[in-house]
């Protein structure tokens, strides 16, 4: 099993590296080569007031006077070594600019994910054990409701109610604990929808298994049945879903930061778009692709370790995946 897993892990690592390289090349092509390149859209824009001498210096500093293939090689080499280039507006290293705002975004994204997991688990528990007369059916509709409401709308409501009306946090202090909490709630509610849907479906499936019936016949309590017997097997597909929602979480973080006035990657993106600072935008898009690929890679590597029933597909001919795996996008492992 160890050799099979190592082969599987090496294959997935190679695939992830290829995807990251292709994502960076695609971003470079879109940003730097297609019409609207930095020279045309930024440097030679009369509104920016650059002289010909300044334009020549910037072009030389950015390496834009070299052949495209050389530009791509230099940019890719710098990206792999952590050199993301220089900002065309502030003339500061892009890595420094991102490093200054990244912690705030990571805190918000982590808090949003925690809120999403807790909320999804609470809704899923309620759909199993809350009596029907107390709204069990209503709880099953919560994920659809959460998914249909944009996070910026939730954020504006939270700011109005808890910021302006109740005064729990001040809008001018968006990095306070309460402001961060409500920003995480605004971010986590839509993200929790997909997690809750998968968790509810798998809880329903696990509750029909024989071991659950045996546990009930022994008089086990509902909470103990949920925590000790149903939650773990039902939560395994959530690993895949969480990885797939990372893109939504990152994108939602940028919007939520703007709504709550937080200084993070979102504000840096907004500023870079308004000033057409293309090296910064290229670096942020590329790093976002790296994060998404790495998180999905970690999920793929963890899933066989968390569930001993999973059989890895090595060099042997791939067997069809189950309906559940297909719905979750898991194509690297199957259940016997």
């Amino acid at each position: 099993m160890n050799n099979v897993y190592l082969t599987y892990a090496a294959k997935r690592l190679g695939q992830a590296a290829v995807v990251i390289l292709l994502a960076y090349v695609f971003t470079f092509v879109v940003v730097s080569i297609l019409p609207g390149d930095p020279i045309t859209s930024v440097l030679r824009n009369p509104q920016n007031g650059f002289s010909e001498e300044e334009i020549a210096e910037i072009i030389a500093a950015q390496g834009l006077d070299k052949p495209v293939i050389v530009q791509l090689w230099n940019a890719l080499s710098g990206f792999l070594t952590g050199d993301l280039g220089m900002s065309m507006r502030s003339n500061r290293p892009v890595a420094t600019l991102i490093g200054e705002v990244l912690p705030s975004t990571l805190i918000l994204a982590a808090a949003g994910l925690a809120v999403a997991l807790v909320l999804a688990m609470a809704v899923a528990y309620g759909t199993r054990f809350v009596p029907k007369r107390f709204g069990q059916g209503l709880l099953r509709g919560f994920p659809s409701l959460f998914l249909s409401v944009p996070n910026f709308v939730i954020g504006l409501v939270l700011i109005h109610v808890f910021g302006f009306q109740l005064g729990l946090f001040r809008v001018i202090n968006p990095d306070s604990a309460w402001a961060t909490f409500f920003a995480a709630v605004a971010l986590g509610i839509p993200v929790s929808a997909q997690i809750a849907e998968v968790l509810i479906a798998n809880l329903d499936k696990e509750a029909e298994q024989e071991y659950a019936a045996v546990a009930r016949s022994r008089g086990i309590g509902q909470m103990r049945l949920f925590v000790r017997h149903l939650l773990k097997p039902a939560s395994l597909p959530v690993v895949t879903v969480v990885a797939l929602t990372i893109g939504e979480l990152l994108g939602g973080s940028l919007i939520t930061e703007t709504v709550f006035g937080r200084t993070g990657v979102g504000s840096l993106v907004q500023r870079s778009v308004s000033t057409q600072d293309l090296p910064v935008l290229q670096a942020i898009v590329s790093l976002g692709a790296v994060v998404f690929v790495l998180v999905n890679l970690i999920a793929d590597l963890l899933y066989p370790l968390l569930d001993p029933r999973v059989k890895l597909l090595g060099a042997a001919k791939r067997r069809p995946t189950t309906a559940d795996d297909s719905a979750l996008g898991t194509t690297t492992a199957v259940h016997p």
Side-chain angles (χ1 to χ4, degrees), residues 101 105 250 253-258 262-273 284:
V101 298
T105 299
L250 294 176
S253 296
L254 305 185
I255 299 174
T256 304
E257 286 175 349
T258 302
R262 296 174 61 90
T263 301
V265 176
S267 60
L268 181 60
V269 169
Q270 184 181 24
R271 186 167 63 250
S272 300
V273 169
I284 292 175

Side-chain angles (χ1 to χ4, degrees), residues 8 11-12 15 237 240-241 244 296 299-301 303-304 310-314 316-335:
Y8 163 75
K11 181 179 179 180
R12 290 295 295 117
Q15 292 173 346
T240 304
V241 177
L244 294 176
N296 282 273
D300 284 345
L301 296 180
Y303 201 85
V310 171
K311 289 184 178 180
L312 298 177
L313 296 177
K317 183 178 180 180
R318 179 169 298 189
R319 287 162 32 192
T321 58
T322 63
D324 290 338
D325 289 333
S326 298
L328 293 174
T330 304
T331 59
T332 55
V334 296
H335 290 280

Side-chain angles (χ1 to χ4, degrees), residues 125 129 221-228:
Y125 177 83
F129 301 112
Q222 292 183 349
M223 178 61 73
R224 187 178 179 186
L225 174 66
F226 177 77
V227 174
R228 297 192 57 182

Side-chain angles (χ1 to χ4, degrees), residues 160-297:
H160 176 74
V161 174
F162 296 98
F164 295 143
Q165 299 296 326
L166 300 180
L168 291 182
F169 67 94
R170 302 176 65 186
V171 180
I172 61 175
N173 187 17
D175 295 325
S176 65
W178 276 113
T180 301
F181 170 75
F182 286 112
V185 170
L187 176 62
I189 287 178
V191 176
S192 69
Q194 300 179 49
I195 301 174
E197 286 282 6
V198 173
L199 192 54
I200 290 171
N202 283 276
L203 281 174
D204 291 342
K205 178 182 177 181
E206 295 297 330
E208 297 175 355
Q209 302 299 319
E210 292 183 2
Y211 73 86
V214 172
R216 294 191 196 94
S217 67
R218 294 178 178 177
I220 189 172
Q222 292 183 349
M223 178 61 73
R224 187 178 179 186
L225 174 66
F226 177 77
V227 174
R228 297 192 57 182
H229 298 280
L230 299 180
L231 184 59
K232 182 178 178 179
S235 298
L236 290 174
V238 174
V239 175
T240 304
V241 177
V242 170
L244 294 176
T245 58
I246 288 298
E248 180 182 351
L249 193 68
L250 294 176
S253 296
L254 305 185
I255 299 174
T256 304
E257 286 175 349
T258 302
V259 173
F260 281 81
R262 296 174 61 90
T263 301
V265 176
S267 60
L268 181 60
V269 169
Q270 184 181 24
R271 186 167 63 250
S272 300
V273 169
S274 62
T275 61
Q276 296 181 310
D277 198 344
L278 299 183
V280 177
L281 291 176
Q282 180 177 340
I284 292 175
V285 172
S286 301
L287 289 177
V290 170
V291 171
F292 184 80
V293 171
L294 290 181
V295 170
N296 282 273
L297 172 64

Side-chain angles (χ1 to χ4, degrees), residues 30-43 64 278:
V30 171
V31 173
S32 303
I33 298 179
L34 295 181
D37 58 87
I39 299 177
T40 301
S41 61
V42 179
L43 300 181
L64 300 176
L278 299 183

Side-chain angles (χ1 to χ4, degrees), residues 14-202:
Q15 292 173 346
V18 171
V19 171
I20 291 174
L21 291 177
L22 291 177
Y24 185 84
V25 171
F26 176 77
T27 304
F28 179 87
V29 169
V30 171
V31 173
S32 303
I33 298 179
L34 295 181
D37 58 87
I39 299 177
T40 301
S41 61
V42 179
L43 300 181
R44 298 195 182 279
N45 188 337
Q47 296 180 354
N48 293 323
F50 288 116
S51 65
E52 288 300 323
E53 292 76 11
E54 292 172 333
I55 291 176
E57 292 178 0
I58 295 175
I59 290 175
Q62 296 286 343
L64 300 176
D65 55 344
K66 299 178 181 179
V68 172
I69 190 65
V70 176
Q71 294 183 41
L72 175 59
W73 174 255
N74 292 338
L76 185 58
S77 301
F79 179 75
L80 295 176
T81 57
D83 182 7
L84 303 179
M86 299 292 291
S87 169
M88 297 179 64
R89 290 297 177 180
S90 63
N91 199 30
R92 298 177 61 196
V94 175
T96 300
L97 295 176
I98 296 178
E100 292 174 350
V101 298
L102 186 60
S104 176
T105 299
L106 292 179
I107 291 173
L108 177 59
L113 179 59
V115 170
L117 292 174
V118 171
L119 186 58
M121 189 175 300
V123 171
Y125 177 83
T127 59
R128 292 302 314 167
F129 301 112
V130 171
K132 292 184 179 180
R133 64 179 182 275
F134 292 140
Q136 183 186 87
L138 182 63
L139 286 174
R140 289 184 176 272
F142 274 21
S144 299
L145 176 63
F146 294 162
L147 192 60
S148 63
V149 182
N151 61 346
F152 71 87
V153 174
I154 300 174
L156 292 175
V157 172
L158 292 176
I159 290 174
H160 176 74
V161 174
F162 296 98
F164 295 143
Q165 299 296 326
L166 300 180
L168 291 182
F169 67 94
R170 302 176 65 186
V171 180
I172 61 175
N173 187 17
D175 295 325
S176 65
W178 276 113
T180 301
F181 170 75
F182 286 112
V185 170
L187 176 62
I189 287 178
V191 176
S192 69
Q194 300 179 49
I195 301 174
E197 286 282 6
V198 173
L199 192 54
I200 290 171
N202 283 276

